[in-house]
Amino acid sequence: MTVQVTPAPPPLRVGMIGAGGIAGAHLSAWLSIGAEISHFSTAGAQALAASHGGVAVDSFAELLDLVDVVDIVTPTPSHLGYVQAGAAAGKHVFCEKPLARTSTDARLAIEACRAAGVQLYPGHVVRYFSEYESMHREVAAGTIGTVAVQRFTRTGSRPDMDWFHDEEASGGVILDQMIHDLDFACWNAGPVGTVFARQAGTGTGKDGVVSAHVILQHHSGAITHAAGTWARPGTAFRTTFEIAGTGGILRHDSAEHKPLVIDGGAGHDGRAGTGLLPEVSGVGPFELELSEIARAFMGGDPPRVSAEDGLAAILVAEAAVTSLQIGQPVAVAPIGNVEVAA
Amino acid sequence: MRSPLKIAVLSFAHPHALSYVRALNGRRDIELVAADPDHGERPVGESGGTVLAAQLGVRYLETYEAVWEWGPDAVVICAENVRHLPLVEQAAAQGAHVLCEKPLATSVPDAEAMVSACESAGVNLMVAHPVRFSTAFKALKRAYDAGAVGEVRAVVGANNGKLPKGDRSWFVDPELAGGGSITDHTVHVADLLDSLFDGVAARSVYALSNTVLHGEVGVETGGLISIELDGGVVVTIDCSWSRPDSYPTWGGLTLQLTGDRGIADMDAFNTRVDGHSQTRGNGLWLSYGTDPDTAMIAEFLASIAAGRAPQPDGRSGLRTVRIVQAAYDSVRTGATVLL
């Protein structure tokens, strides 16, 4: 008796660049979907390999020789250089959000990948979180009618790494953290016309607390409020949303919808913060995100988020930062000559 | 023993009049009358006048003149928003203390005239902002005053409700209400800030509104108000009438304070039993706890008895009106309004 065996496709060979906070989440997710991982970082690659797996290599050039695609998880200012280098080497590129430090850099990244004929996607992973995905599916299906008013909040401990505290490097809480909700607001309610922002904080550096509030006027007529907070160390990561439409409302609060709560009684320190990453209660968002993107890299359908979406979110964030500076609403710059994906 | 305080409820236009009458009827130290002379202007089917007074079990007078002849010590004004000013001025002229339904006024000059009339006459002017008297807010204020969240830098407030049209259609008539959801709902959250931060004034206001929800009415139904207070605290208020008509309760109010020592979340109406009814085909939402209206009225009466200013007073109400009017100015101009 002969058995017909379909050969398994060769594993996707992924080269990760960077070994910071998000690298562990990406690496675990890549490994869980069967990818073969090499990683390079100016610091911490060996430790990452020891704790999560994959093979650490000594140079970026060596990494490019080993892989089909690159996953860029470096600090924001270096995204563009690695995108351009990856594209020049003919690799598809997955890049952690924000796609680039500025909209100018994001356009250059998109143009470099287009010229090289490689795919480019930004890591707007909130689109893959089960609660957000479920909400968006119903919004898109018209379950709550036409979107009128959206509210999003995102709160977590202030990041540890020094570069986050340098607004010039990270773009601050709006570009680095709130951009998730700015992207999601646009996914639900469409492009944004004007942006107004305020920000307040106290203290400096890692002990500083900062909150940004942004209000969006969408072309559709919907209005959105997003609040992003880097709170004191030990603060639990928490997100909320409420979407109100002509036919109903959808809402979620990660502090209320927990599959398991353990009360350890006296002496149990239940106040341990979850830092930069939220607890995950649904299907693993990073696994879902990376498997969808891996399928696209291997010739499948495009994922739910495009490089142009990444640029659009940066344009909204940049308008918000300008609004902070001038104290007035700011029109979002047009996405311009970058061809928007169909 | 001193004679009971004579109190008149002026107009049943605002449905809160009903709960105020119930709260006042429960007290033995007062004598209560009500007048609702404009009830005939309401659309057919909207309650009012002698019939409603009889249902509430309160003595009814046909006209405001009859009320003044009766000689009230204090009045509770529940007329349509734009009709507050003349009633406050008449009450002040009669030497009667005033508890005025919120919003105090639909324009800053009106609110200033009310404050001025009552201060000149030496009568108390209190604004009916009952959430300040809720168990949740009192606990929040205690915690904040004790330093539980440290120095507050940012506040997110939401006061959302159904389109408040069911009982009284004037709520969506700009000629009588002065506006839509911005007028109706901004002041509740603004009043809580006024209490928490000791009457700090707003420095700048930016607002967006829309009419996506219930587009058939002639006023804004959605609104987001961004405020910077003196001292730099950043506030955003969602004042939208965004609860669906079939929602199991009228709406709600939440407030989040972000400080350098922690984050506080308050839900003013979170004391409730949840459920679901097959027969009603909807969620059940059974509120419990102390009634803030009763505590608010107790403060009004106590302030009169003690000869002191009530809280929130007319100047506090004026500050909330300034925010609302700045929000409308911002919506009209598309720019930030500096106060």
Side-chain angles (χ1 to χ4, degrees):
Chain A
M1 195 174 83
T2 51
V3 179
Q4 285 272 314
V5 178
T6 308
L12 188 68
R13 299 179 306 160
V14 178
M16 287 179 55
I17 305 126
I22 199 75
H26 281 212
L27 179 48
S28 300
W30 281 123
L31 292 171
S32 79
I33 64 169
E36 202 173 277
I37 305 299
S38 308
H39 45 89
F40 162 73
S41 178
T42 51
Q46 294 297 343
L48 186 66
S51 62
H52 289 77
V55 177
V57 302
D58 294 330
S59 74
F60 182 52
E62 191 183 337
L63 185 81
L64 288 178
D65 283 342
L66 292 171
V67 302
D68 311 308
V69 305
V70 293
D71 174 4
I72 299 163
V73 285
T74 56
T76 303
S78 62
H79 285 184
L80 174 62
Y82 284 116
V83 172
Q84 288 170 322
K91 314 298 180 187
H92 295 310
V93 180
F94 177 60
C95 181
E96 181 52 26
K97 62 80 223 165
L99 178 58
R101 173 61 186 83
T102 66
S103 57
T104 304
D105 281 7
R107 290 179 202 280
L108 291 171
I110 291 170
E111 282 161 15
C113 290
R114 184 174 299 145
V118 299
Q119 299 175 35
L120 170 65
Y121 304 114
H124 284 292
V125 71
V126 172
R127 292 195 187 205
Y128 296 87
F129 272 74
S130 294
E131 61 273 37
Y132 286 83
E133 193 183 38
S134 302
M135 173 265 282
H136 177 74
R137 191 184 310 121
E138 298 304 322
V139 168
T143 305
I144 60 162
T146 304
V147 173
V149 183
Q150 309 188 100
R151 289 206 307 268
F152 298 89
T153 72
R154 184 166 298 272
T155 305
S157 310
R158 188 145 191 143
D160 289 335
M161 306 284 275
D162 288 331
W163 69 273
F164 286 102
H165 310 292
D166 176 357
E167 292 221 348
E168 189 52 40
S170 70
V173 69
I174 292 174
L175 187 75
D176 188 76
Q177 186 244 41
M178 185 194 286
I179 198 164
H180 282 299
D181 294 308
L182 299 177
D183 171 61
F184 212 95
C186 297
W187 201 28
N188 273 352
V192 171
T194 57
V195 179
F196 180 77
R198 297 191 195 269
Q199 186 170 306
T202 180
T204 54
K206 291 172 192 175
D207 294 326
V209 172
V210 61
S211 268
H213 287 196
V214 170
I215 293 179
L216 311 177
Q217 172 72 64
H218 297 263
H219 291 307
S220 66
I223 54 180
T224 295
H225 177 232
T229 299
W230 279 337
R232 64 192 304 233
T235 303
F237 198 96
R238 178 181 174 198
T239 64
T240 70
F241 62 71
E242 179 180 295
I243 317 298
T246 52
I249 54 176
L250 287 164
R251 64 182 171 214
H252 186 268
D253 181 340
S254 64
E256 291 179 1
H257 299 85
K258 288 175 175 297
L260 173 65
V261 174
I262 295 174
D263 183 347
H268 174 72
D269 180 14
R271 291 291 303 153
T274 47
L276 286 174
L277 295 174
E279 294 175 81
V280 171
S281 303
V283 177
F286 293 101
E287 286 81 353
L288 189 61
E289 176 186 41
L290 296 179
S291 60
E292 193 175 281
I293 282 160
R295 280 197 298 278
F297 284 161
M298 292 190 288
D301 291 336
R304 66 193 69 179
V305 58
S306 69
E308 289 75 16
D309 293 329
L311 169 58
I314 293 169
L315 289 168
V316 173
E318 285 185 339
V321 171
T322 304
S323 177
L324 287 182
Q325 289 157 0
I326 68 169
Q328 292 290 344
V330 171
V332 178
I335 201 157
N337 59 0
V338 175
E339 204 174 291
V340 177
Chain B
M1 189 181 152
R2 48 180 301 179
S3 57
L5 209 62
K6 296 169 78 174
I7 298 179
V9 173
L10 305 184
S11 179
F12 294 147
H14 199 294
H16 286 170
L18 281 62
S19 61
Y20 301 156
V21 167
R22 290 191 190 104
L24 286 161
N25 260 344
R27 296 184 63 117
R28 291 157 187 271
D29 54 348
I30 62 149
E31 197 179 327
L32 188 67
V33 300
D36 187 29
D38 297 330
H39 70 92
E41 295 177 20
R42 275 173 225 142
V44 175
E46 292 192 8
S47 59
T50 48
V51 175
L52 183 53
Q55 284 169 7
L56 293 168
V58 60
R59 183 181 160 203
Y60 187 75
L61 299 177
E62 289 291 340
T63 65
Y64 294 137
E65 289 71 30
V67 171
W68 306 132
E69 282 167 27
W70 179 67
D73 298 303
V75 298
V76 180
I77 296 172
C78 293
E80 296 87 348
N81 298 343
V82 301
R83 292 175 170 163
H84 289 176
L85 173 60
L87 290 174
V88 170
E89 287 179 330
Q90 287 172 48
Q94 299 288 332
H97 302 288
V98 177
L99 172 60
C100 184
E101 181 53 41
K102 65 89 213 169
L104 177 60
T106 57
S107 76
V108 172
D110 277 14
E112 286 172 336
M114 292 178 196
V115 169
S116 166
C118 291
E119 287 182 353
S120 305
V123 297
N124 282 357
L125 173 58
M126 179 171 173
V127 188
H129 284 137
V131 186
R132 195 188 266 233
F133 298 90
S134 67
T135 307
F137 181 71
K138 284 190 284 190
L140 176 70
K141 184 163 169 59
R142 250 192 328 270
Y144 168 72
D145 287 345
V149 294
E151 184 189 348
V152 169
R153 302 309 297 155
V155 180
V156 179
N159 182 198
N160 300 130
K162 297 183 190 181
L163 186 74
K165 200 186 165 179
D167 301 333
R168 293 288 188 254
S169 56
W170 68 263
F171 273 95
V172 296
D173 177 356
E175 297 296 314
L176 291 172
S181 59
I182 291 177
T183 297
D184 190 34
H185 273 179
T186 307
V187 291
H188 280 300
V189 177
D191 177 64
L192 301 184
L193 302 175
D194 203 72
S195 172
L196 275 176
F197 303 135
D198 297 324
V200 67
R203 178 194 290 170
S204 91
V205 175
Y206 175 77
L208 288 177
S209 70
N210 68 19
T211 56
V212 176
L213 301 163
H214 304 283
E216 73 280 5
V217 301
V219 290
E220 79 282 354
T221 50
L224 294 169
I225 321 290
S226 172
I227 305 162
E228 185 182 20
L229 301 174
D230 277 339
V233 175
V234 163
V235 181
T236 305
I237 300 173
D238 179 354
C239 62
S240 308
W241 288 329
S242 53
R243 300 305 93 154
D245 289 341
S246 60
Y247 199 65
T249 188
W250 64 272
L253 188 150
T254 59
L255 194 66
Q256 181 183 65
L257 311 180
T258 299
D260 64 351
R261 304 294 299 166
I263 297 167
D265 278 272
M266 181 203 81
D267 183 338
F269 300 91
N270 209 22
T271 47
R272 64 174 193 266
V273 173
D274 284 332
H276 193 92
S277 165
Q278 177 68 17
T279 50
R280 294 195 202 168
N282 206 345
L284 293 175
W285 185 300
L286 312 174
S287 295
Y288 61 82
T290 55
D291 171 23
D293 287 346
T294 303
M296 182 181 76
I297 281 168
E299 160 66 9
F300 179 55
L301 299 180
S303 74
I304 295 169
R308 62 168 171 84
Q311 285 302 328
D313 63 6
R315 289 187 175 274
S316 168
L318 171 59
R319 286 188 289 272
T320 63
V321 171
R322 281 191 206 285
I323 290 172
V324 170
Q325 293 311 308
Y328 281 118
D329 288 346
S330 175
V331 165
R332 199 176 58 250
T333 61
T336 305
V337 173
L338 301 179
L339 295 170

